[in-house]
Amino acid sequence: MPDIHVVRKDNRHLYEAYFDPYFRLRHEIYVKQRKWMALERPDGREIDQFDTEEAVYLFCIDNNQLIGAMRAVPTLMPTLMSELFPYLNIRGPVQRHDVYELSRIFVIPERRGEHAGPRIDMLLLTAIMEYGLSTGLTGFSIVLESWWLPRFERCGWKAHPLGVPHMMDGMSVLAVLVDCDEGTWTTLCSQIGLSRPVLTWRGLAGVNRRSLPDISTRVQPTAQQAQ
Ligand code: COA
């Protein structure tokens, strides 16, 4: 199984070699493949104003290759929702120390829809819950396309809409707040057959982490992977 690494400002130096491929992959996937042309950059590296020192990245690494990732940004800082899409949130901006905004989840095309082990996207969704629980978060805000909602429903993510969907460039997009709680994490671990936490915290021994519930006895080993 690939490793999911927590990368933050305190240990970023250990992952410097991955950042150039990471930003190039984002350009390849979001600009070239998904045609989100507003993100196009002449140097072929998709970096935006939310890639600050405070951003937290989950890097899914297999045999030294980055095969998937996700970004989390504190909502006390500017976010996609507050700066670019404020009209999606009719309740006003989410600005809370215990809520991070998720964005830029991707899996490289050749590793999507895998069934030989936990799917990489499911691993990332499980890993970010683990990160949130470990660091005292209670939720994640997300601007997303509405096709995520049935996927969240299937994997047990509880997503609360913050406004109504808007059509943008042919996509139905909305803002949600997702609960970060032990029940969601343990259910996901059970679904994908994990009996222990998945995150690698290399170089982050100084981070104060909360203890997680014991999941070693809750797993129902099954070949069936959550879709
Ligand atoms: N529009 C609508 N549905 C989509 C979709 C899109 N752009 N991308 C994925 N899906 C849904 C579909 O239901 C798809 O089912 P299908 O096989 O019947 O088309 C299902 O997700 C499976 O997607 P797939 O890409 O095969 O694999 P995955 O589940 O392993 O990975 C993603 C899902 C989103 C991680 C992967 O598709 C990806 O990296 N996409 C590019 C990055 C991206 O768009 N991220 C989301 C916005 S930040």
Side-chain angles (χ1 to χ4, degrees):
M1 193 169 77
D3 296 318
I4 311 257
H5 296 251
V6 178
V7 183
R8 333 193 315 175
K9 66 177 175 212
D10 2 20
N11 68 343
R12 185 175 167 134
H13 58 285
L14 301 174
Y15 293 89
E16 242 5 286
Y18 287 96
F19 271 90
D20 189 58
Y22 168 62
F23 290 126
R24 289 185 188 286
L25 269 175
R26 275 173 42 176
H27 201 273
E28 179 63 30
I29 289 172
Y30 292 106
V31 178
K32 297 253 179 66
Q33 295 170 11
R34 297 236 36 209
K35 311 273 185 239
W36 293 1
M37 301 318 285
L39 306 183
E40 186 172 27
R41 290 188 17 146
D43 67 355
R45 301 164 82 237
E46 194 275 297
I47 304 176
D48 66 16
Q49 67 266 46
F50 311 110
D51 290 301
T52 67
E53 270 215 323
E54 299 308 320
V56 177
Y57 301 93
L58 295 189
F59 281 176
C60 184
I61 297 175
D62 199 13
N63 288 323
N64 297 322
Q65 187 197 5
L66 186 65
I67 61 169
M70 177 185 272
R71 177 177 69 177
V73 171
T75 56
L76 292 180
M77 308 259 306
T79 58
L80 283 160
M81 205 182 289
S82 70
E83 305 304 301
L84 304 181
F85 307 105
Y87 51 90
L88 290 179
N89 186 348
I90 54 182
R91 295 182 185 168
V94 177
Q95 290 172 325
R96 285 169 41 182
H97 71 91
D98 58 342
V99 175
Y100 272 46
E101 182 187 75
L102 303 182
S103 53
R104 301 294 193 268
I105 179 173
F106 72 82
V107 176
I108 60 170
E110 47 280 35
R111 300 296 296 266
R112 291 180 195 163
E114 286 191 348
H115 294 277
R119 293 170 59 128
I120 309 301
D121 64 320
M122 292 294 291
L123 261 184
L124 283 166
L125 294 180
T126 308
I128 195 66
M129 279 289 157
E130 182 185 324
Y131 179 81
L133 289 176
S134 303
T135 57
L137 303 182
T138 63
F140 298 109
S141 54
I142 322 180
V143 173
L144 43 64
E145 294 157 90
S146 50
W147 54 263
W148 279 100
L149 297 180
R151 292 171 70 101
F152 283 177
E153 187 68 30
R154 281 198 297 273
C155 74
W157 270 40
K158 297 185 275 299
H160 311 285
L162 297 172
V164 294
H166 280 58
M167 286 307 289
M168 286 180 215
D169 298 329
M171 301 182 286
S172 166
V173 179
L174 76 160
V176 298
L177 186 61
V178 172
D179 296 341
C180 176
D181 56 30
E182 289 188 358
T184 306
W185 180 64
T186 53
T187 302
L188 263 165
C189 289
S190 174
Q191 270 187 32
I192 66 175
L194 289 181
S195 55
R196 58 179 179 79
V198 285
L199 287 177
T200 298
W201 299 78
R202 191 154 62 105
L204 292 172
V207 172
N208 204 2
R209 277 155 52 193
R210 298 178 181 208
S211 57
L212 296 166
D214 178 14
I215 52 168
S216 57
T217 53
R218 302 177 61 115
V219 176
Q220 303 149 4
T222 165
Q224 185 188 350
Q225 302 298 331
Q227 296 298 300

